[in-house]
Amino acid sequence: MIKYIIVLLSLLSFLHAKTSIVVTFPVHKEFIQKIAKDDFFIKVIEDGYQSFDKRGNLFKNEIYYSDVYLTLGLEEEKKYIELFKKKNRYMKIIDVSKGIEKDIVNGKVNHYIWTDPLLVRELVKNLYNTLSSLKSYKKEFYEANHKILLKELDEFFLSLKKKFDRNEFYNIYVYEPYWHYIAKRYRINLYYRENRFTDLEEVPALIEHAQLHNIEKVLIKKGSSYEQAQSLASHINADIVEHDITKYNWKVNIQSLARKIARYKKNL
């Protein structure tokens, strides 16, 4: 009898053991937690503080020997996929962005879909299905949280729309396509520049272009390209806006971006 109880307890322990999930950025961890709460151990590869290569062996081993890597098809994820396949052939690698229509930007598929609340709706649906497949006995719990999250996303989409509807500023210089989807959703024009210093002979044409399109802001990834952006912004009297789309607090982060790039009509 005791033997059967031990076996039963072991089985229950196995069923309820936490699966360890790896994601690339903190924002992806947040979406999972919104659905699954603390049901999974979630490890983040790039936390914005230290590169993966410089992390200690303990951290690396926790990543290597996790159960699942949830990707979004990002170019920077390919190197990790190859590494994980070598280190742990049992790790499941799942692209949770499959089935979501993506745009071609500057000749490449743009995978940074999570700046658009409506595309996040599709992403969290995929996450809900994936998490439910990993722990089928928690499906009802995940479904309830998923529905709450969808409602939050709908409300957030509308609140952002109200903000951008009041905006009188629609044109921005960028180096990278990180903000393509939010710009597309809320009708902001992104003008792409090469990520380099501005040559003096370019300045007259640059000034003319900026004045023609009323470009007063340069949007860059936080922690990169600042000097190049400064050489561009100084010639057209533009403001530099730094933003990181990978941060954990997604809603606050997107609201912060909206405030930084918007210039509201005073009579509204």
Side-chain angles (χ1 to χ4, degrees), residues 58-249:
L58 179 61
F59 174 84
K60 287 181 179 178
N61 285 333
E62 286 181 346
I63 297 289
Y64 293 150
Y65 298 107
S66 293
D67 300 299
V68 184
Y69 180 28
L70 299 184
T71 81
L72 279 92
L74 302 170
E75 189 66 28
E76 52 264 54
E77 291 176 332
K78 291 179 180 178
K79 61 182 179 182
Y80 297 124
I81 291 172
E82 288 185 16
L83 182 60
F84 297 160
K85 283 180 176 179
K86 290 178 182 177
K87 293 286 185 178
N88 179 7
R89 61 191 179 94
Y90 297 105
M91 179 187 279
K92 292 181 180 178
I93 298 171
I94 303 171
D95 184 347
V96 291
S97 72
K98 280 193 173 180
I100 300 175
E101 187 174 348
K102 300 165 188 172
D103 295 338
I104 304 295
V105 181
N106 300 334
K108 296 180 179 179
V109 177
N110 189 308
H111 297 279
Y112 301 102
I113 56 176
W114 65 89
T115 60
D116 175 3
L118 295 189
L119 289 182
V120 172
R121 269 184 127 266
E122 298 183 45
L123 174 60
V124 298
K125 180 181 179 182
N126 286 355
L127 282 171
Y128 156 67
N129 288 330
T130 299
L131 297 174
S132 295
S133 70
L134 293 174
K135 288 196 174 184
S136 57
Y137 62 93
K138 297 295 293 283
K139 184 174 182 178
E140 289 185 7
F141 176 67
Y142 298 158
E143 184 178 10
N145 293 334
H146 175 234
K147 287 180 179 178
I148 292 170
L149 180 53
L150 291 181
K151 185 178 179 182
E152 288 179 6
L153 289 169
D154 289 342
E155 291 172 353
F156 185 58
F157 164 74
L158 293 174
S159 70
L160 270 187
K161 186 176 185 302
K162 287 180 181 178
K163 281 185 171 65
F164 282 113
D165 282 348
R166 294 171 52 213
N167 187 24
E168 59 179 10
F169 181 81
Y170 299 99
N171 304 308
I172 301 173
Y173 278 136
V174 294
Y175 295 123
E176 304 289 347
Y178 300 123
W179 306 274
H180 165 78
Y181 290 104
I182 189 170
K184 179 182 177 181
R185 181 64 64 190
Y186 295 105
R187 294 177 297 178
I188 296 166
N189 300 314
L190 301 181
Y191 291 86
Y192 289 90
R193 301 281 304 179
E194 286 187 62
N195 193 351
R196 60 175 175 78
F197 288 97
T198 303
D199 295 329
L200 286 177
E201 58 266 27
E202 297 178 272
V203 172
L206 175 63
I207 293 173
E208 183 180 353
H209 184 266
Q211 290 177 342
L212 177 64
H213 297 286
N214 190 28
I215 301 175
E216 299 176 1
K217 294 182 188 283
V218 180
L219 178 58
I220 63 171
K221 181 182 179 181
K222 191 170 184 178
S224 70
S225 307
Y226 192 86
E227 291 181 351
Q228 290 93 315
Q230 202 168 32
S231 76
L232 171 62
S234 62
H235 293 300
I236 60 173
N237 195 28
D239 296 324
I240 298 173
V241 176
E242 293 185 279
H243 183 254
D244 182 357
I245 68 170
T246 69
K247 290 173 66 176
Y248 180 82
N249 206 333

